[in-house]
């Protein structure tokens, strides 16, 4: 099972000592970004995209082309598409359906999941249609955090 925390740190915001690159007085955004590894080194469990940072546990993150895909839970093609996508792994399935259908790719899958798509400085979060995957979020000013 893959666990995650996705958070947004606005440019120039101070960070606490518990955050990478942080100290009690805060740290610069460059120092923090240098600490975070690229999506190609996903086994370090930190991936950044613009102002967003994904910290994950497990093997839920893959870099597919220029798009980072994190899947928590499980995701399958709907029955009518199963023959076409049965040999695709979860990340390949999401990448192909997202490329073909954009944001409506969730109409073509089933399961209990959260999918986080990170590309070109933006982050999109998708949940299963029935709301079976539970996540918790917090918003404080410019800061945002979501976790399972």
């Amino acid at each position: 099972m893959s666990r995650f925390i996705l958070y947004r740190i606005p440019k120039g915001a101070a960070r606490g000592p518990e955050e990478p690159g942080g100290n009690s007085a805060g740290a610069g955004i460059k120092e923090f970004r240098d600490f975070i590894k690229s999506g190609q080194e996903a086994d370090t469990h930190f991936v950044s995209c613009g102002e967003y940072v994904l910290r994950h546990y497990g093997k839920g993150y893959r870099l597919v082309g220029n798009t980072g895909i994190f899947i928590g839970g499980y995701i399958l093609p709907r029955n009518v598409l199963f023959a076409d996508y049965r040999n695709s792994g979860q990340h390949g399935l999401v990448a192909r359906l997202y490329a073909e259908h954009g944001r409506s790719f969730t109409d073509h899958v089933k399961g209990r999941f959260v999918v986080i798509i990170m590309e070109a400085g933006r982050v999109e979060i998708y949940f299963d249609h029935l709301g079976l995957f539970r996540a918790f979020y917090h918003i404080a000013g410019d800061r945002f955090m979501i976790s399972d």
Side-chain angles (χ1 to χ4, degrees):
M1 178 153 158
S2 298
R3 313 235 0 133
F4 76 96
I5 300 172
L6 174 71
Y7 52 97
R8 178 179 176 265
I9 300 178
K11 292 181 181 176
R15 286 160 188 78
E18 72 283 355
E19 297 178 45
N23 56 42
S24 58
I29 194 79
K30 183 181 182 323
E31 179 186 348
F32 181 70
R33 298 234 188 270
D34 290 344
F35 178 82
I36 302 300
K37 303 298 181 190
S38 72
Q40 295 170 346
E41 298 173 351
D43 59 350
T44 62
H45 304 292
F46 283 97
V47 181
S48 69
C49 182
E51 295 179 336
Y52 291 89
V53 177
L54 173 68
R55 181 174 184 181
H56 61 93
Y57 308 89
K59 300 183 184 284
Y61 180 84
R62 299 283 186 285
L63 188 62
V64 180
N66 291 327
T67 303
I69 300 173
F70 173 83
I71 299 173
Y74 68 92
I75 189 167
L76 299 167
R78 293 208 177 263
N79 292 343
V80 296
L81 299 174
F82 190 79
D84 296 334
Y85 295 95
R86 70 176 174 256
N87 294 327
S88 297
Q90 292 187 107
H91 295 86
L93 171 68
V94 170
R96 287 178 59 192
L97 290 175
Y98 186 75
E100 292 173 20
H101 302 285
R103 293 180 173 175
S104 66
F105 81 93
T106 57
D107 294 339
H108 306 280
V109 295
K110 61 183 179 179
R112 178 190 168 274
F113 61 86
V114 59
V115 173
I116 301 174
I117 297 180
M118 306 173 81
E119 84 182 332
R122 75 171 199 270
V123 174
E124 297 176 4
I125 305 170
Y126 300 91
F127 290 94
D128 59 83
H129 288 277
L130 298 177
L132 298 173
F133 193 94
R134 300 293 173 129
F136 304 92
Y137 71 94
H138 174 74
I139 299 172
D142 288 353
R143 292 179 182 240
F144 168 78
M145 178 183 290
I146 186 169
S147 180
D148 62 345

